[in-house]
Amino acid sequence: MKSPRKAWATAVALGVLAASGATAAAATPAARPAPKSASEDEQLQKLYQEAVAEGGRLVVYAGGDKPGQADSLKNAFVKQFPKMKVDTVVDFSKNHDARLDNQIAERKVVADVVHLQTLDDFPRWKKEGALEKYKPVGWNKVYDQVKDKDGYYTGLFFIAFANVTATTLGNNAPVEAQDFLKPEFKNKLVFTYPNDDDAVLYYFKQLTDKYGTDYLKKLLAQNPKFVRGTADASGLVGTGDYVANFGSSGSASGLSKTSIPEKSPWVAWPQTGAILKDAPHKAAAKLYMSWILSMQGQQNRWSARTDVATPAGRKGIFDYPNMNPLGLGAFMSDRAALDRYKALINLYVGDVKGANPADPEGRLGLYPVDQNGTQG
């Protein structure tokens, strides 16, 4: 999984702030000033009315590896727009994109909005005519680097993957990549299979690019545990003998904390969203996209907007010399090179084992409209 980039995708050469205000020259002394633009809240309320009139239904496909992972977004949206019924279906982005390709090909699209880690899909879907052109509320404030100039897709927020370490380690917690090789961490590290998640794969790619495959050999000599899903990897930190991880966005267990390397590479990316051209509920989809990109929807996260403050204690997403928030997108756009590196990693860590943590019972199928696998 470009999801806390750098999200968790997330990620400053700041995007250009849009200029506002009318500048038309007066044709006559009696010329009237341009009308004042509607506020973001006024625009959202109008979209809300349209979505309710449409039926008040919305289906979102969200990239992730644990059911309920996107509930904070859904719950905040429904709290503000209580007449909406929303189902957010979480699955690996690589599963959702295949699912969407099939729905598009069969002309049986059941998803309205998608926000995924598979950043290379969006230019392709645009070219194939599968996306709805729509510039949400706040569009002119979004970093130019993370949005389609024509308005077919945009980064919604940044997700970042860095270090997760047990609180019991205190000042002895590993920070830089080399710290994870210390003898005291043998048998105590836990990672997501890099050959199962392209954002984790990119994390490992940067480390081997900088430190060579010898680093990978030394890391594997630590006898780390590999699991499916970044949520499960970070969730294990602080339990049993597991004390450290890199390549995930952290846990709410209180048993661990997150940190960012000062020198070693890490990963953030703009989790990217779009409306499907054949979405069943386009008014609701426009409301959702506009709400996420509104000023209120961008608070308390690494924002996709240039005019929202960064999270406390963090730099601007483009201000880290050891992290390029556009790097994951570039990495994923060269699928041949990605697949070659994935094959190499597979030789080192072995085949991925275990059920899909986002869909452990295999319920989602081809046309899910909720996490229970109800087929649309």
Side-chain angles (χ1 to χ4, degrees), residues 24-329:
T28 70
R32 297 177 180 177
K36 182 180 179 181
S37 298
S39 69
E40 288 191 355
D41 185 62
E42 289 170 332
Q43 294 176 69
L44 291 174
Q45 288 304 313
K46 183 176 185 296
L47 290 168
Y48 182 30
Q49 293 172 8
E50 294 170 354
V52 171
E54 180 187 64
R57 184 78 174 95
L58 177 68
V59 176
V60 178
Y61 280 7
D65 50 37
K66 205 73 171 174
Q69 216 167 37
D71 279 358
S72 61
L73 272 177
K74 181 182 77 172
N75 294 340
F77 177 78
V78 173
K79 182 178 181 180
Q80 184 164 348
F81 307 109
K83 294 181 181 179
M84 299 299 299
K85 183 183 185 302
V86 180
D87 278 295
T88 300
V89 183
V90 174
D91 198 0
F92 284 108
S93 293
K94 65 181 181 181
N95 293 342
H96 269 326
D97 70 351
R99 186 174 283 124
L100 288 162
D101 282 340
N102 183 68
Q103 291 183 14
I104 293 164
E106 294 193 345
R107 298 184 178 180
K108 189 178 178 180
V109 173
V110 302
D112 299 306
V113 174
V114 298
H115 40 80
L116 306 175
Q117 174 187 290
T118 47
L119 306 179
D120 54 311
D121 282 321
F122 293 91
R124 174 175 65 85
W125 282 330
K126 174 189 174 182
K127 186 176 181 180
E128 293 171 356
L131 302 180
E132 180 79 0
K133 184 177 182 178
Y134 177 62
K135 295 181 179 181
V137 167
W139 177 266
N140 290 335
K141 302 295 186 181
V142 175
Y143 287 107
D144 288 340
Q145 302 98 310
V146 304
K147 66 184 178 184
D148 173 52
K149 63 182 178 63
D150 297 318
Y152 286 92
Y153 56 87
T154 179
L156 297 177
F157 44 82
F158 288 93
I159 295 177
F161 284 175
N163 300 328
V164 181
T165 54
T167 55
T168 54
L169 291 178
N171 294 332
N172 295 319
V175 176
E176 304 300 335
Q178 299 293 340
D179 295 338
F180 287 79
L181 305 182
K182 292 179 179 179
E184 58 263 37
F185 298 131
K186 187 167 187 176
N187 302 317
K188 296 181 179 181
L189 304 178
V190 55
F191 298 111
T192 304
Y193 281 106
N195 42 339
D196 196 35
D197 185 308
D198 285 347
V200 181
L201 185 71
Y202 178 55
Y203 205 120
F204 275 71
K205 178 67 163 58
Q206 291 184 102
L207 294 179
T208 54
D209 282 351
K210 184 167 184 175
Y211 305 116
T213 53
D214 189 54
Y215 175 81
L216 183 58
K217 293 175 183 177
K218 291 178 180 178
L219 186 68
L220 294 177
Q222 295 285 67
N223 193 33
K225 179 180 179 65
F226 285 94
V227 300
R228 297 199 70 185
T230 58
D232 282 351
S234 61
L236 284 171
V237 175
T239 70
D241 292 330
Y242 300 113
V243 299
N245 156 273
F246 60 69
S248 67
S249 55
S251 167
S253 68
L255 301 175
S256 60
K257 64 177 183 179
T258 60
S259 67
I260 293 174
E262 295 181 3
K263 300 177 182 178
S264 306
W266 53 289
V267 177
W269 71 94
Q271 192 82 338
T272 297
I275 299 172
L276 278 301
K277 186 176 182 180
D278 294 331
H281 314 106
K282 284 187 180 177
K286 291 177 180 179
L287 172 63
Y288 182 80
M289 289 283 286
S290 285
W291 170 76
I292 290 182
L293 281 179
S294 70
M295 180 65 75
Q296 55 191 312
Q298 290 287 300
Q299 300 301 311
N300 303 315
R301 65 177 79 244
W302 253 316
S303 175
R305 292 175 57 143
T306 63
D307 59 343
V308 176
T310 59
R314 304 302 190 199
K315 299 178 184 179
I317 197 67
F318 287 93
D319 284 345
Y320 289 91
N322 55 332
M323 188 278 289
N324 175 11
L326 306 180
L328 178 62

